[in-house]
Each structure stands twice: as C-alpha cells, then as structure tokens.
Amino acid sequence: MNVDDGMGKVVLARKRRAHGPWSDLALHTIGWRAFQDLCSQVCEVVLSRPVEIFREAQDGGQDAVFLIPSGSDAPAIGTIQCKHTSEASKALKAGDLSGEIENVEELVEAGLADTYVFMTNMSIDAPVAAKMRARLRALGVRKPHILGSQYIVRVIRSSARLRALVPQVYGLGDLTSIVDERLSEQSRALLDSWIPKLRTYVPTKAHRDAVNAISDHGVVLLLGNPSSGKSAIGAIISTIASENPDSTVLALTSPRDFEAGWNPNDPGRFFWIDDAFGPNILRDDYVQDWASAFSKLRAAIKHGNRFLLTSRKHIYEGARRQLGQRNLAQFTDRSAVVDVGDLTFDEKAQILYNHINFGEQSQSWRSSVKPHLAAVAGVENFLPGIAERLGDPNFTKGLAPREPSLVRFMEEPTEHLVDTINALDDQLQAALILVYVHQAGFDPSDHDPLAAKAVAELTGYSITKIQDSFTELKGSFLKLSGPRWTFAHPTISDALTEVMRQKPHMMAALIRGAPIDTILGSFTCEGSPFIRDALVVPTALDDALVARLGRTPDELHRNRMLFHFLYYRASEVVFSKVVQQYPDLLQRSSWRTDPVVDDPKLATYGRANRLGLLQDYLREEAADRLVSAAQDALDASFFEEEDMLGLLSPLRLVSMGMGLRTTVLPSLEDRIDEITADADLDDEPDSHFKKLFDLLDRMEAIGVDAAAAALIEEARDQVGRSVEEIEERKRERDEEDESDTDWTHIVTQKKEEAPAPPAPAATRSRFDDIDK
C-alpha cells in the first residue's frame, strides 16, 4: 500500500506478516558439521563463554561433544552433546539417550559433566525431556538440560549477534522477514537475490575480520580474486546491517552513486559498493571519483554511516598506485583491508559441502563425486564461486566425476566456463552478449538501442526473442538486480570476453555497436601493453575502432575516458590515426587530476608531442599546467615521466627550476603552516606533506647550492614539528569522539575473549552424508 511519509512523498510500505517464535527453520538440511558449528555458537552466545570441541563421534553417528571451560565464576566444567538428524519431522525419544550412558558416566567420573547439555535439531516433547533429565541426574549430572529445535529456533530469532555469527540461518526458513521489512526499496531487490544463498554461506575469518573492521573504522575494503567470495561477504554483512531498524542499506555501483546518495542528516546509512574500482578491469574514472569522494566518505563515517567496498586484488593494486596519498588512510595502512582468499581446509570443505548439498545435482552424481571432494577442497587456490558451480548441473555438463577432472575444474575454471558458454544454444549466447555490451546491466525499459540492434544483427535473433531467454538463464548465468539483468557472477563476463576473442566477426560487430563506455572501459588494442581481462581489438579492426573513438560524445566524463584509452590502451597506429583524423579531440575539456602525473589528458599530450602530432599552442598550454603544478601545488610527480617532461622546452625547464629555487623554497615556512592549519584529522598526519617531501627530494637529486640545502633542511625540521602538532590535535579529537555510535550489533566476537584452542582433527569425512 502507499503511505505518506509526512514530507509530501509517497513511499511503498510492505504488508507486515506475523511470525511466531516457534516457526520452524530447516535445520535438518544444513548437514551435521554445520549443525555442530551452530551449536557451538549458540552456546557461546547463551553462556557468554566459548566452548571447545572435546571429540567428534567415531561411530558414524551425527553428534559431537563440547566442553564448557571453567571460569572464575564457574568452577565446574560442563559438557555439551549435540546430535543432528537429516529427517525433517523426527522427534527425540527418551531411549535416544541410551547410547550415551557410557559416555556420560565417563564424563561424570572425570569431573567434566557438572552441567550436561543435550542439543539436537529434533523436536522434543516436555515429558520426554523430563525423563531424560531425571536419567542424567541419576547418573550424577547436577545440572541437566535437554534443548531441541524449538529452543534453537527461538534463540536464533532473538539474537542478532548469533545471526551475525551464523548468517546462513537466514536462508533456512521464513526468517528472511526479519530483514525484508527494513530494506530500502532501491536495495531490496539486490539483497533479496542473495537471501536464498545464505544457507550455503560459511562465516570465515575474513567475514569476522570484515565485521570488526567496520566496527572499528566504519569502513572495510574486501579484496579477492574472481570467485573468492568477496561479494558474498558484502551481501551477507549488508543483510545483517539491515536488521538494525535505524539503518538504511544502499547497494551502489560507483563512487558517484555514493555522492548522490549521502545525506549528512541521515547517520544510519550502510553503503555497499561492489567492484568499487571497476568490475572486470580498472576504471580510471572510478579511481579519480574516489580520490575526490574519500573526503566526503570520511565525513559520512563521522556522522555514523558505514561502508563496505569490494574489489579484485589486481584492480585495487592499480587503483592504489594511482590514488597515492589521496587514498583512504585505513586502506593505506591496511587496517580496514581484508583479504578474503586465505581459507583454511575446514572452511573450504564446508563451503564445498554446502554448495553441493544445497545444489541441484542428482543423488547419483553426488555419490559419484563424494570420494573426490576432499581433494577438491584441498586445492591451494580454492574458490567459493567455483564451488557453487559444482552444485549447479548447468555448469558440470560433460564434467567427468573423477578426481583429476574435478580438481582441474577448481584449478582452471575459466577454460571450463568458456566451454560451457560455447555449448549453450545460440539464442542463450545472444542473451549473454546483450548483457555483456551493457556493462551496468540490461534494463528492458532503459538500454542502448544501437547496442541492442548490433547484437540482434550479429546473432540473428530479435531483441524480443533474446529477452525471452533471460528467464532460462536466471539463477545460473544471470540474475535480476532491480530492473536490470546482470551476470550472476563477474567471472561469466571474463569467460565471455575469452569467447569473443575466439570469434573475430563478433568483435567487428561489437566495435560498431557496443556503447562507447564499454569500448573505452573494457577494450584494448593489439600491440598495446597487456591489460588483464580486457578484450583485445585485433589490428585488422583498427580503422573501425578509430571511427568509433572519433565519435565519442564531447562530455567531461567520457573525454577523460577517451584520453585514458588513447594514452594507455591505443596502439601507436590507432593513436596516430585518431589524432590525425580527429585533431579537435585533443582540444576537448576533461576533469583534471591531482597529481598531474595521473592526468590522462596531459599524458596524451605528451605522447602526441613525442610523435610530432601536437600543435604548438597545445604544448604551451600543457607546459603552463606543469609549471603551475610544481610551483603552486608543490607537485613534482611528473619529473621522471619523459613524455610529460618533454612538453617543457629547455628554456621552460630552466625557468621552472629557477622559480623553485628563488620563489618556492623561501616561501615554504608559510606553506607548511597553511597545510598544518588545514590538515584533515582523519588522514595520517604525515600524509599531508608527501608532495612537499617528494619535491624536496627531487630538487636535491637535481642538485642545489648550500643556501638552498639549508632551506630544505629547515623545511624538513618544520614538517616534523607540524606532524607532532597534527597528531596532538587528532588525539584530542578522538578522545572527544569516544562516545560515538559503534556498530556493536554485528560484532562477532568480544575482543577480550581468548580464542578457543584448535580442535582435534575429525575422524569422519565432512562429505559422508553429501549424497543422503
């Protein structure tokens, strides 16, 4: 129904549903090992004390025993016995305790069962529980407890912290209603697409580190290779954040979305930005946008907002180099950076178990691969996203259920995925290509008509027929994120790039019809420096590419992307043809970059000048910018870039050097005072002087007289004092802010708790019941 929000706007209100505390969750489906982990977390939350694994069943039964360590306020040690069944409606019987009598007697004699807790996912009737407690007392247990599925479900529903520890419970029943009513409209569809996957999710050390980083710093950057699970962690933590009734979760796709979505008067926003620096390859425009947006992000954190960013490792490394001192301090010192790829064998095995157990594979297929799953989990570069595909028969057609094939599937996933895409019907491939050319996703009501027409002509299918195929690909290759169809995983785009490389006729059609942003952001020329995951345009298509580049719309955003393409991705032939055939392109306006060494327009001018293709007046304009950067902004970043330095004539070089010696050095005292007064206390104190130190180092390397050397030494001493002053101001500010809101409702572990000792190796394979 529609509800007026009091400000003249109409918002969509979802109809609320009542859910009783005893509503069932499908605990029988999670597997015996995951149930043991759930029990241990339930005990930690309820008892406020970690539990230690004492032993796992050695008789093939689905149970385990935990010890409750003694503490200063609990001198006696207790035992927790957990028993799991995969039968949905099974009820506990008093006789089920008979098989444990001998174990209980041994525990009582050893002083390990002052308290004895029997936990199970079976339902328990009150008379049965009473009989079992009486029997345990007779055996010497002073405090017996019998806890069944009703108790576990009630605890899960009442504890947000427990759900943060074991978020897969969101996918076990109608518990999704907890978050569904609180999601912002613009993000509900995206998070809803993840909720069915929550029951397969395994909380890893990276998950806990990410939660703690957000709690400590208000921001976290998850780094990982494709299919490493960084987006899954982002979705899970965003879903948990949405439980807070004061939070609004916003799933964004670019830094510009953040700047548009940040409201300084709304402190409860949680921003999830997936692939923050580009989905498949580094987006230079994203890097520059973040460079200017980080100051707003810091302000937003101070207002109580929280941020989770993800990126592929190699993409962030490229962004980090470009950002330099403009990077976020928590990313520079890596205090808020989490590598999601470092998994233990137990974490890998549980991830693999969950994806196959909850997947769509037949029982016979699961039986045939069961003996080989431990070897798959043991692959060094194990990827959770590839484990998910092993549970989907759409991706395992033609895959032999033998150890070498399964291990190779995990070790070399792109090759198999390429084969899978090539094996799809032509109409289904057409649907994937249509999404591919629309990098932000294909919206049936808002897409590029020229790109759609090009795909239709290329594949021979009408747009209507191609769209009809989307539903068939949903859940495996595609997902629906709001109104847009996007790839279910970025690696599908990577594989499709490889498919395109193998089909030159497709490349020709894409160059003619793909959106210019796709060409500028995802393509590169044959013969130019290698760019990982970029689609290479063969030299035979140089003229077609030059024609498309020449028609790039004259807009600040796209001009920047064009200059970046010309300098970094265009071959010598393509670069020369574009500049000669479209000389007016070089006169276009573009966003400026700080430091100047990262400005693609100046880099393009430098390349054109080296090739003798730059007009004199443009060279003079570029030279003026470089001199101004050095003398006014203390930016000497271009000193070692030959192409940029070549924009300065010998006379301008000498003049610039004299200006630095006679004007800049004597004025450094006042400049340092200005920098100190304007310092952002959210940055590291010495980061404000990186440009200055770089300039001084470069001047010394060139050579200076004794008087100039003395001025340089005085400047360094003054900077040292200024850094101390900024540090003191920062300490005073932080002491005042200690009472600020902390995101404690999802902190997974109390920091004062010592970690539990490592558990003994299980005597039973994690995959024993995978085919049950």
Side-chain angles (χ1 to χ4, degrees), residues 404-543:
S405 300
L406 293 166
V407 169
R408 189 165 57 250
F409 184 94
M410 179 60 67
E411 291 178 334
E412 303 172 5
T414 301
E415 179 181 347
H416 187 85
L417 187 53
V418 167
D419 292 340
T420 302
I421 291 175
N422 281 327
L424 292 174
D425 293 342
D426 290 344
Q427 187 170 331
L428 297 180
Q429 287 190 40
L432 296 181
I433 295 171
L434 184 60
V435 173
Y436 182 90
V437 300
H438 291 82
Q439 287 194 321
F442 180 81
D443 184 342
S445 61
D446 182 19
H447 60 271
D448 188 315
L450 292 178
K453 181 180 178 182
V455 173
E457 292 176 351
L458 169 66
T459 60
Y461 293 98
S462 68
I463 296 300
T464 301
K465 284 190 175 181
I466 293 176
Q467 292 185 62
D468 289 342
S469 301
F470 286 163
T471 303
E472 187 174 345
L473 295 170
K474 185 179 180 181
S476 53
F477 292 88
L478 298 178
K479 65 181 179 182
L480 194 58
S481 299
R484 297 182 181 274
W485 288 93
T486 61
F487 290 119
H489 196 277
T491 51
I492 296 173
S493 178
D494 296 339
L496 205 56
T497 296
E498 185 60 35
V499 171
M500 298 291 192
R501 288 192 183 120
Q502 300 169 5
K503 300 178 179 180
H505 70 285
M506 286 190 175
M507 280 297 305
L510 289 180
I511 290 173
R512 290 194 301 270
I516 192 62
D517 287 358
T518 300
I519 293 174
L520 297 176
S522 299
F523 289 19
T524 190
C525 292
E526 182 180 351
S528 63
F530 171 77
I531 298 178
R532 181 175 170 179
D533 298 327
L535 190 56
V536 179
V537 180
T539 55
L541 297 175
D542 280 353
D543 289 339

Side-chain angles (χ1 to χ4, degrees), residues 718-734:
Q718 184 183 353
V719 167
R721 295 190 296 271
S722 295
V723 168
E724 292 178 358
E725 178 185 332
I726 296 172
E727 288 175 341
E728 179 60 28
R729 284 160 48 195
K730 184 174 184 177
R731 277 194 296 271
E732 293 174 355
R733 192 281 309 268
D734 291 344

